[in-house]
Amino acid sequence: HTSQALLLLGAYALGLAAPFAVLTLLGDAAFFRRPAFLRCLPWLQRLAGVLMVLLGVLLWLDRLNWLAELASF
C-alpha cells in the first residue's frame, strides 16, 4: 500500500505543479494576451472543469485508486 500511496501522492504533486511549471516556462505575460491564446482559453477551462468533475466523481465513488491501477503499467 505504501507504493500505491506514493504513486498517488506523486501524481497529485505533479498535477498541482504542472500548471505553474508551464506558466513559468512560457514566461512573458504578453503571451497570455495574444488572440491565439485567448481563443483557446475557453477550451482549456472546459477541459480543466471536466477533469475536476471526473476526479470528484472518482473520489465520491471511492474509486480514486483506479488512477493508480491505470498508471501501474
Side-chain angles (χ1 to χ4, degrees):
H1 290 221
T2 303
S3 61
Q4 183 181 14
L6 288 174
L7 180 65
L8 289 173
L9 182 60
Y12 174 79
L14 183 62
L16 186 63
F20 296 108
V22 168
L23 289 176
T24 300
L25 293 173
L26 293 176
D28 191 19
F31 172 80
F32 298 105
R33 292 188 216 121
R34 289 190 173 178
F37 177 76
L38 294 177
R39 280 194 308 270
C40 295
L41 191 58
W43 291 104
L44 292 172
Q45 290 174 330
R46 287 183 186 113
L47 177 64
V50 167
L51 289 175
M52 287 177 60
V53 168
L54 287 175
L55 284 173
V57 168
L58 287 174
L59 184 63
W60 182 55
L61 294 175
D62 197 26
R63 295 290 302 160
L64 205 53
N65 62 347
W66 178 77
L67 289 177
E69 294 170 7
L70 187 67
S72 67
F73 308 108

